[in-house]
Amino acid sequence: MENTLILGATGKTGRRIVRRLRAAGHSVRTASRSGSDVAVDLGDPATWPAALDGVTAVYLLEPVLQPVPDRDARIPKFVTEAASAGVRRLVLLSAHGVGEADDDHPLKSAERAVRGSGVGWTILRPDWFAQNFSESFWKPWVLSGTLAVPTGDGRTPFVDAEDIAEVAADSLTDDRHSGRIYQLTGPRAISFAEAAELIGKATGRTIRHVDVTAEAFAERLAANGVHPDAARMLAGLLEDIRDDRRATVSDGVESALGRPATPFEDYVAEAAAAGHWD
């Protein structure tokens, strides 16, 4: 019987966690809105019992850039049902800075629910994913040659999604991570201009970073189909980089895994070799 449930199993972290757990011989049940072992919608409690049946560990995440009703209650309600169903370990993908954020942060209630669940828990607070350059957000702009984001010369320690997945997989299967909050970053903070330069060198492309206002950035996203609220949220998060409020490097990866975090240069080399920017 499957005993580990992975929500968001088709996403950047979820599919990597599934791969690691299955390679290690663990039994895994994948869950997402479609394309997984079970269909789970955090907004539809009727989809939860079948997913949780026989499960002892759950990987949780809430896609904060997707506008949904009643967001603050979704994870807390799911956590309550999971604990009642016999789940003994929860691993939550949270976000950088939630611990210092005001109570209106969209992931604050999720963290509070996990910590108060009465079962073993681990919280992961990653910085910006390096894979955003090769799998989502910024890939089309990298391919266009112009990375237009409101970050100025600010820096951030992009974290490799493979590192996040390794910490998550270990946390789902090892009690030594219980009660831990891991701030996950790369080993050094770099600017978007440096990121563009490194990707350009690895691919032979000319890629430049162009600083724009947060308003212009949000308007561009909205014009391309992103919900205006999500566009403004993303623009605000990027402005934190401009002000170097996201430049702090943490030792969470090394603390959890006993090895240094993956450098951005290594991620770029692997992504280029895999053809992500071809």
Side-chain angles (χ1 to χ4, degrees):
M1 182 178 292
E2 298 101 332
N3 59 17
T4 302
L5 176 68
I6 308 298
L7 298 189
T10 59
K12 281 195 286 292
T13 59
R15 69 177 186 272
R16 288 175 165 89
I17 296 167
V18 170
R19 184 185 70 231
R20 289 179 180 278
L21 290 176
R22 285 181 171 164
H26 296 286
S27 188
V28 178
R29 179 180 297 160
T30 63
S32 59
R33 291 176 67 92
S34 61
S36 296
D37 297 331
V38 291
V40 171
D41 183 344
L42 284 176
D44 182 5
T47 66
W48 302 350
L52 290 168
D53 183 34
V55 163
T56 57
V58 179
Y59 177 69
L60 295 158
L61 76 168
E62 174 70 272
V64 296
L65 292 180
Q66 296 178 12
V68 295
D70 200 26
R71 181 188 303 281
D72 287 347
R74 292 175 8 136
I75 289 288
K77 289 178 180 177
F78 186 88
V79 164
T80 298
E81 181 148 348
S84 297
V87 169
R88 300 194 299 271
R89 183 182 290 119
L90 299 168
V91 176
L92 172 70
L93 182 68
S94 186
H96 173 91
V98 174
E100 297 78 35
D102 294 333
D103 284 343
D104 62 353
H105 190 285
L107 290 174
K108 195 78 169 185
S109 60
E111 284 203 7
R112 187 180 297 117
V114 166
R115 296 177 69 175
S117 63
V119 304
W121 58 266
T122 308
I123 292 173
L124 313 182
R125 293 178 181 162
D127 208 281
W128 287 98
F129 292 18
Q131 277 73 9
N132 288 337
F133 290 99
S134 56
E135 297 179 18
S136 59
F137 295 140
W138 306 311
K139 179 177 180 177
W141 297 351
V142 169
L143 295 177
S144 77
T146 302
L147 195 58
V149 288
T151 54
D153 296 325
R155 300 167 301 123
T156 194
F158 297 103
V159 61
D160 195 321
E162 295 288 355
D163 286 355
I164 301 170
E166 187 172 345
V167 174
D170 214 37
S171 298
L172 285 163
T173 55
D174 193 326
D175 287 337
R176 70 187 179 86
H177 301 288
S178 185
R180 298 293 302 274
I181 298 175
Y182 292 116
Q183 310 283 347
L184 304 178
T185 74
R188 71 183 183 97
I190 63 173
S191 67
F192 271 72
E194 185 175 356
E197 181 181 2
L198 289 168
I199 296 170
K201 286 180 178 178
T203 60
R205 293 174 174 271
T206 298
I207 305 168
R208 64 193 183 106
H209 167 240
V210 176
D211 187 32
V212 296
T213 65
E215 292 76 13
F217 177 82
E219 288 173 2
R220 179 179 179 184
L221 289 184
N224 283 279
V226 178
H227 191 281
D229 290 345
R232 286 190 293 269
M233 178 185 293
L234 184 56
L237 292 172
L238 289 169
E239 277 199 306
D240 286 346
I241 296 176
R242 179 198 297 278
D243 299 332
D244 266 347
R245 291 199 293 266
R246 301 287 292 269
T248 301
V249 172
S250 299
D251 65 353
V253 172
E254 186 161 9
S255 178
L257 302 177
R259 64 160 177 83
T262 302
F264 189 79
E265 292 85 346
D266 290 5
Y267 148 73
V268 169
E270 291 177 9
H276 287 293
W277 297 299
D278 290 348

